[in-house]
Amino acid sequence: MITGDKADGLARGSGHRQRTSPPCSGRSEALIPGLLTLVFFVSPLLFFTDLTRNPYYLQIALLNVSLSAALLAALWAMRARGSWDFPRNALWTPLALFAAVLLVSWARSWAAHEPFFRPAIFSEGLRAFLFLFVNCGLAFWLSARAEWKESPAARPMTPLLLLLMAWGAAWLFFPYLRSQPSGPGLWQRFWDPYGAMVWAAGVFIAWRSVREGRQEDYLNLALVAGALASVYGVLQYFGVELVWLKTLNPYGNRSVSTFGNPNFISSYVVTLAPLALACWLDARTAPSRFFYAAVFLSYEAMLLASLTRSSWLGMAAGLGFLALLPDYREKFRAAGRRALLLGGLALALAALWPVSASSPPGTGVAQRLSEAAGKISSSGTLTIAADADKVYPSLHQRVLIWTSAWQMGLESPLLGKGWGAFELFYPFYQGPLLSAYEGIRGLRTHANNAHNEVLELWSQAGLAGLAAFALVLAALARAFTHNRKAGDGESRFWAAALAAGVVGMLADNMLNVSVHFAVPGFMFWWVMGALSARLGSPAPVFSGLFSGYKAWAPAALLALLAVSSAAYWQGQFRREALYFSGFKLMRKGDFRAAAAELKRAHSAWPREVNTNYELGNAYVRSGDMESAVWAYGEALRANCGYDEIFFNLAVVEKRLGDLRSAINSLKVSALINPLNVQTYQAAAEIYVKDPRAYADEAARMMAGASRVLPGDASLKNTLGYFHGIRGDLAAAAEAYGRAVRLDPANRIFEDNLRGVVAAGKLYGNPHIAWLEAYRGTERRLAAGDAAGALRLAERLFDGGGGEAQSRYLRSKIFFASGEVGKAREELLAVLREDPGHGEALYGLATVLERSGDVAGAVRHWSLLLEREPGNARAAARLEALRSRGGQ
């Protein structure tokens, strides 16, 4: 273990003494490479699609438990030696300050919020701090203490080539040698004899390659694991699936590889790609050059297969960082034809990559970049005030998230909303923004993170968090600058490769979230630890602080944290497996069995929102309403940022007769998700039970609903009813009139309008006049007087609303007159204003069919059937067109 600085020209100060360790110390230390084999090799590559609902949950649990066990092994080895060594590092002080600021921000958040929020703040904060401790802190510390003795490219290539070539090829036979699960249990689904044999061989080879515990060996194992995942992801992209019975494409044509998410694998390879390139430049033998070139090109191919543009930016930033350094430019010039060959292959791969497996070559990069450039330039605005037809979802959804993150930080500029609180509180900021800006309402999401590291820190830890992290980066930059001036060529070369990975990941996460997820986050912090140890500490900190009896307390605390983390993730993995089992029972309709299984999941770990929410649903379907209220309450204590929990809780509270609680739950549900019309309908059903008592409250809620959902006639009719109860007949007439304009065929709306106009003696009501003109137009059209109908229809465009229905009626007039082109234009205008207008969609499909646009007609008949599966006329027309050769 590194206890001082090696005198090897790395600008790290004086050397360290060799000590003879007790046997138990050696045995404990020898466990660490085996545990890190699981972290570097097994965790990024092993995942199951039928074990947990989140396919990469096993990766998360395995990584966290292995890192925690590695800490315990290291602590035991230090105890046996009687020396609590702590590797010298320039980042300890700024990292400690950063962690302290995050802890203070979380504590302030817990104290500042209402008691209702505190269990969820604790739950989410616990998850965030365990991630900070294990994924960030332990990864950094274990990396910083791993000794680097020589160039990674100088290490034996045989195990690495065996893993990349032979072990990877062994999976080609898996589809033919796999066994079927012998039962529904966890072990039966987990076990496969051939797969187990391949895995055992791979783990053994991987362990053999890192058993000396050298930093360069760990990094080589990370490189080969990333290459294996990349090759698998590229095969997936082109429709070749070696492991599962069906192709995995949860993100369309974006490959997920073994990481379950294209954004995670792409960031992983962005962090390692500069190192792979540096190893290739430093390689001295043909096998090592081949290996590192294959790794680098596989990373590029995986980046292209992920179609993750933020990671493309990260890769460009990392490699661009290297290109700025004179020693790297000289290395490339010295490589000569080798460099030209690798560069040519990399450029050809990017130039020829298709945007999908069935697309022509050369469409991938060009189409993804041109799509972004075109959409951004045509959007008109890069704010959330964009019109719906100019919204670019990939950008404007991030703008929505960024706006919410900015508002979070503004509430407490110094310490932010509280570390770990982003996912919890984000929906409460997004909801009002969706209410205020119509164009972005289709972008509603449940964001885990801010998709921008600056705003991530600002929103949760404020200016203090930003300053603390800036101090970490400043200390790293200072050490890097010192190394560039005082270090020898080898030291500068490898420090730059690691620094380029850090730069790439940070650039990627200006638009991404991957640094906050287990495997890519671990890789980032491991590289940070390797880099900071490589750079050394110009001003050593903590020297001698953790020695002798002074170290017992922090060592005991670290051991307790490690055991707690392992127990937490064991419970979380068991809960996730039981949750998925209960989830599948729910889908099969076995609600009592599902409730029992989900209750077991809750017992394994009680603070997980999805488990508790599904448990509440199971109790509802089983008829146990009291237990459902308890389960939904447990879900809210885990994370109270989901509108569906409040909605379902309100439904149950209503059944149990607790109407006031039901109304309050529906109000919160509407605040989080103002777009759910069922929330307002459920509230109206409660309000009408005592309309005079609730009239004012109901009118306010329905007025807000009508603003957010302006095309819903029923909400306006309900608003009119409560205005009438309040005695505001003019407001009631206005609401009823708007409902009539949206649905003039509804006689109930018409009767309500005429009734309140008569009661209030509201003579000359414009909505009545509009309705008379609409009825008159319909009568003339039915009588065959298309010209008269068209003249009368002009009176419908009075600026008072109802344009969609007016245009639809006018399209019928044009169609009856044989002016198919004008009818088509009117129908397109209707659908731009009201995309859910089923009659207009039916009419447009008919017009397209009449005008000979068979492909367009088929597309619109299909779209109509997606929205109205029971529409027999649309199904018959679609079948008739397809039987005549339509696609």
Side-chain angles (χ1 to χ4, degrees), residues 702 705-707 709-721 732 734-740 742:
M702 295 305 146
S706 294
R707 285 193 297 271
L709 299 168
D712 193 298
S714 295
L715 287 177
K716 289 181 168 49
N717 184 66
T718 304
L719 174 61
Y721 169 76
E734 179 64 19
Y736 285 137
R738 297 288 178 179
V740 163
L742 289 170

Side-chain angles (χ1 to χ4, degrees), residues 4 58 295 298 319 364 398 480 542 603 628 654 714 721 724 739:
L58 179 61
V295 169
S298 75
L319 298 184
R398 281 178 170 82
F480 183 80
F542 293 168
S603 299
K654 176 189 171 187
S714 295
Y721 169 76

Side-chain angles (χ1 to χ4, degrees), residues 794-844:
E794 294 304 317
R795 293 170 53 188
L796 300 177
F797 297 90
D798 60 358
E803 282 76 13
Q805 289 294 351
S806 302
R807 286 188 178 277
Y808 174 66
L809 182 55
R810 193 158 64 178
S811 75
K812 293 170 67 176
I813 299 171
F814 285 135
F815 189 77
S817 303
E819 297 182 78
V820 177
K822 290 185 177 180
R824 178 177 175 275
E825 292 304 316
E826 291 291 344
L827 290 167
L828 288 171
V830 171
L831 291 171
R832 281 195 297 270
E833 183 176 337
D834 182 8
H837 200 298
E839 292 176 313
L841 195 55
Y842 186 98
L844 181 57

Side-chain angles (χ1 to χ4, degrees), residues 516-805:
H516 300 283
F517 286 81
V519 177
F522 158 78
M523 198 68 256
F524 172 75
W525 284 101
W526 184 276
V527 169
M528 281 281 283
L531 171 61
S532 59
R534 190 78 192 182
L535 295 173
S537 175
V541 295
F542 293 168
S543 177
L545 179 61
F546 293 115
S547 60
Y549 290 105
K550 292 180 181 179
W552 280 104
L557 177 60
L558 288 172
L560 178 62
L561 287 172
V563 171
S564 300
S565 173
Y568 172 89
W569 282 107
Q570 180 276 334
Q572 282 283 29
F573 179 73
R574 183 168 178 269
R575 175 207 56 74
E576 185 73 10
L578 291 169
Y579 160 64
F580 192 43
S581 176
F583 179 85
K584 289 187 287 187
L585 287 170
M586 281 287 288
R587 297 308 176 265
K588 292 178 181 177
D590 192 351
F591 304 123
R592 292 189 182 279
E597 194 78 344
L598 290 164
K599 185 63 170 66
R600 291 176 61 204
H602 173 271
S603 299
W605 184 258
R607 287 293 174 265
E608 204 284 325
V609 63
N610 296 295
T611 298
N612 300 341
Y613 171 67
E614 200 66 27
L615 177 59
N617 293 343
Y619 281 136
V620 170
R621 303 298 291 272
S622 303
D624 188 349
M625 299 301 161
E626 286 79 6
S627 295
V629 171
W630 168 81
Y632 289 137
E634 288 291 282
L636 294 175
R637 280 184 279 277
N639 187 328
C640 54
Y642 289 85
D643 65 287
E644 51 264 52
I645 303 175
F646 287 101
F647 179 85
N648 288 8
L649 176 60
V651 171
V652 175
E653 288 170 335
K654 176 189 171 187
R655 292 187 186 181
L656 294 174
D658 190 354
L659 301 185
R660 187 65 261 174
S661 294
I663 284 294
N664 291 338
S665 296
L666 289 171
K667 284 182 175 181
V668 180
S669 182
L671 172 65
I672 296 174
N673 180 12
L675 308 179
N676 186 6
V677 67
Q678 292 180 320
T679 302
Y680 307 114
Q681 292 169 345
E685 290 175 3
I686 298 174
Y687 287 140
V688 297
K689 293 180 180 295
D690 191 353
R692 296 198 177 278
Y694 289 123
D696 290 337
E697 181 179 343
R700 285 193 298 271
M701 187 176 195
M702 295 305 146
S706 294
R707 285 193 297 271
V708 177
L709 299 168
D712 193 298
S714 295
L715 287 177
K716 289 181 168 49
N717 184 66
T718 304
L719 174 61
Y721 169 76
F722 285 110
H723 276 316
I725 295 295
R726 294 174 60 244
D728 190 345
L729 299 185
E734 179 64 19
Y736 285 137
R738 297 288 178 179
V740 163
R741 287 178 182 249
L742 289 170
D743 187 3
N746 191 308
R747 294 295 178 177
I748 294 176
F749 297 169
E750 180 181 349
D751 291 343
N752 290 341
L753 173 61
R754 293 186 183 278
V756 78
V757 165
K761 299 180 180 179
L762 304 173
Y763 306 116
N765 183 272
H767 301 299
I768 294 287
W770 182 91
L771 183 59
E772 295 295 346
Y774 189 91
R775 294 271 189 264
T777 304
E778 284 186 317
R779 287 193 294 269
R780 292 197 180 192
L781 179 60
D785 183 7
L790 186 60
R791 286 194 301 271
L792 188 55
E794 294 304 317
R795 293 170 53 188
L796 300 177
F797 297 90
D798 60 358
E803 282 76 13
Q805 289 294 351

Side-chain angles (χ1 to χ4, degrees), residues 381-387 396 399-401 403 433 437-440:
T381 177
L382 301 184
T383 71
I384 54 176
D387 294 332
H396 285 93
V399 174
L400 171 61
I401 296 170
T403 305
L433 291 174
Y437 298 96
E438 183 178 357
I440 60 163

Side-chain angles (χ1 to χ4, degrees), residues 47-92:
F47 78 111
F48 288 84
T49 60
D50 194 40
L51 191 63
T52 56
R53 191 177 183 192
N54 180 336
Y56 48 89
Y57 215 90
L58 179 61
Q59 293 183 348
I60 301 173
L62 180 62
L63 183 145
N64 280 272
V65 171
S66 299
L67 286 176
S68 299
L71 171 61
L72 291 174
L75 291 173
W76 187 261
M78 287 188 284
R79 185 208 65 81
R81 285 197 298 267
S83 173
W84 301 98
D85 303 318
F86 205 77
R88 190 177 295 176
N89 196 291
L91 298 189
W92 289 129

